[in-house]
Amino acid sequence: MVFLRPLIREGVSNATAGRSSANSPLVTIGALPDEILLNIFDFCRVAVVNKRDVWPGLWPKMWHNLVHVCQRWRYIVFSSPVRLNLRLYCNTYTSAREMLDAWPPFPIEINCHGVGDKMMAAFEHCDRICGFQVLLHGAYSNSKLASVMQKPFPSLTSLQLWSNFDDVSVVPDTILGGSAPHLRSLSLAGLPFPTLPRFLLSCNDLSELQLLGISDIGYISPEAMVKGLSALTRLALLRIDFDEESETIQVRGPPPLTRALLPALTELRFRGVNEYLENLLARIDAPQLKIITIKLFGNHADIRQVVSHFVTLGPFDRAKSEGTDLTPPKTSSTSEATHPLRSWVIQTKT
């Protein structure tokens, strides 16, 4: 309750402004109607969600506290599960079975390091899992995650799979039953997923796609990548980040007859080799693009010339362009850089 009390006081102050005066008694929180209390609870939720330096699992703890204050508050909270975004938050140390038995059937969010026995009960309710973030400490194919992720997750809107392991196993094309029609955010780090373009064809609601630490095993050609991206008409953020040790370079073939239109794309982030970037940009149109962040291995001239040559930039003809020399990555055996690295941020003027 230590975080909750000041938020409730602020919410009450906002809700009762103008209700009391020097000639009228102060309004106590118990005298407020249910609708005003609901507004106060929602004010607390928004304040917590917007506070970036607060642990993301704090709001579930807060609404747990609210429903234990009194029966009336419990009724108000449980009567508005959508507005208050009531979800069951399972982490590495949570007993999913105990949590599921103690609370109504709200949507489930999972945030964990690996998938242990305490977490397995949550996967008996795949239809309720709406968010899933996991950091693997071993090979994907050998984890418990590999088997449970073969089922469909019809309510899943956010998926983040990260690995800090040198994983040579690939994510199969049967993940999530082969489709994720309601997925809005997908982030993969250090996990090869060569059949990703085919999977993306089912992700019509996707607005954020981040592919990090792409290795030679997980390499996807620009042609295949764009085929997958072509179905993402709501995609606003695209990030493609190659591993610095990746050696695969795609040689650009004949220019395509048509480009894939990404009508909602506003931000592109790329890290890798120039050849891949040129091939990718030659195949897409992004008329709403506002920010491009590019980090290239090797020495290059003004990257703005490369970008403007291939992409329908619209307002980028008068864009702000900034180039920066970065400290290159070091090898384990020598102090010499494995790749010179330059960074550009290109942004339209407001």
Side-chain angles (χ1 to χ4, degrees):
M1 289 288 286
V2 64
F3 291 103
L4 189 56
R5 287 172 182 166
L7 290 175
I8 289 180
R9 284 196 293 267
E10 185 177 352
V12 171
S13 177
N14 294 338
T16 59
R19 284 175 170 260
S20 60
S21 65
N23 299 323
S24 62
L26 291 174
V27 178
T28 63
I29 192 169
L32 295 175
D34 290 359
E35 181 181 352
I36 300 299
L37 283 176
L38 178 59
N39 290 339
I40 293 172
F41 299 158
D42 192 45
F43 170 84
C44 296
R45 177 192 64 82
V46 173
V48 170
V49 170
N50 291 341
K51 195 171 179 60
R52 296 180 181 179
D53 57 343
V54 174
W55 179 53
L58 185 58
W59 172 239
K61 288 182 175 294
M62 283 191 171
W63 73 254
H64 289 181
N65 288 329
L66 289 174
V67 300
H68 284 104
V69 170
C70 64
Q71 188 65 32
R72 183 188 175 204
W73 283 27
R74 185 182 185 91
Y75 172 80
I76 294 172
V77 170
F78 284 170
S79 296
S80 301
V82 176
R83 179 176 177 182
L84 296 179
N85 195 26
L86 301 186
R87 299 183 179 187
L88 303 182
Y89 189 84
C90 300
N91 59 34
T92 306
Y93 310 103
T94 302
S95 172
R97 177 69 65 191
E98 293 179 3
M99 177 171 287
L100 293 170
D101 290 342
W103 298 102
F106 296 136
I108 301 169
E109 282 196 29
I110 297 175
N111 188 328
C112 59
H113 293 258
V115 179
D117 293 336
K118 288 185 176 182
M119 193 67 60
M120 295 307 294
F123 292 102
E124 298 173 7
H125 305 271
C126 294
D127 59 323
R128 291 166 52 191
I129 297 177
C130 60
F132 189 21
Q133 177 179 319
V134 61
L135 173 63
L136 295 175
H137 299 290
Y140 175 87
S141 58
N142 296 331
S143 68
K144 294 181 179 179
L145 183 66
S147 59
V148 299
M149 293 298 287
Q150 303 308 301
K151 305 176 183 178
F153 286 68
S155 300
L156 191 67
T157 60
S158 176
L159 176 62
Q160 300 179 19
L161 298 180
W162 303 329
S163 175
N164 61 3
F165 183 75
D166 188 13
D167 201 345
V168 296
S169 61
V170 300
V171 177
D173 57 6
T174 52
I175 188 171
L176 304 182
S179 67
H182 300 296
L183 197 65
R184 293 197 291 267
S185 176
L186 174 61
S187 177
L188 301 174
L191 288 168
F193 193 180
T195 58
L196 174 68
R198 184 168 58 193
F199 177 79
L200 291 178
L201 295 177
S202 71
C203 303
N204 298 326
D205 285 346
L206 201 66
S207 61
E208 291 188 6
L209 175 60
Q210 302 193 61
L211 308 175
L212 313 178
I214 301 174
S215 64
D216 292 338
I217 297 175
Y219 177 81
I220 301 171
S221 71
E223 294 91 338
M225 182 70 76
V226 171
K227 285 182 181 179
L229 296 177
S230 63
L232 308 181
T233 57
R234 299 182 181 180
L235 187 67
L237 169 64
L238 173 62
R239 181 177 179 183
I240 299 176
D241 190 330
F242 282 89
D243 186 271
E244 63 188 44
E245 297 181 358
S246 176
E247 297 179 355
T248 303
I249 297 177
Q250 176 73 22
V251 178
R252 186 164 63 90
L257 296 177
T258 60
R259 293 179 175 181
L261 176 63
L262 302 179
L265 188 67
T266 59
E267 183 172 0
L268 170 65
R269 305 176 193 174
F270 178 84
R271 181 177 186 267
V273 296
N274 187 45
E275 291 86 350
Y276 192 101
L277 177 64
E278 289 189 6
N279 204 333
L280 179 72
L281 295 183
R283 299 173 184 276
I284 63 174
D285 275 344
Q288 300 300 320
L289 197 60
K290 292 180 172 61
I291 301 175
I292 307 176
T293 302
I294 297 172
K295 298 179 182 179
L296 294 181
F297 302 135
N299 296 311
H300 302 278
D302 185 359
I303 195 62
R304 191 167 174 273
Q305 297 177 3
V306 175
V307 173
S308 63
H309 183 66
F310 290 105
V311 179
T312 303
L313 291 178
F316 275 94
D317 57 353
R318 295 184 301 278
K320 175 183 178 183
S321 176
E322 296 178 357
T324 306
D325 288 307
L326 302 179
T327 302
K330 307 289 185 180
T331 63
S332 58
S333 58
T334 176
S335 61
E336 295 297 323
T338 56
H339 297 285
L341 186 64
R342 292 211 68 198
S343 173
W344 290 267
V345 178
I346 308 175
Q347 183 171 1
T348 56
K349 294 181 179 179
T350 56

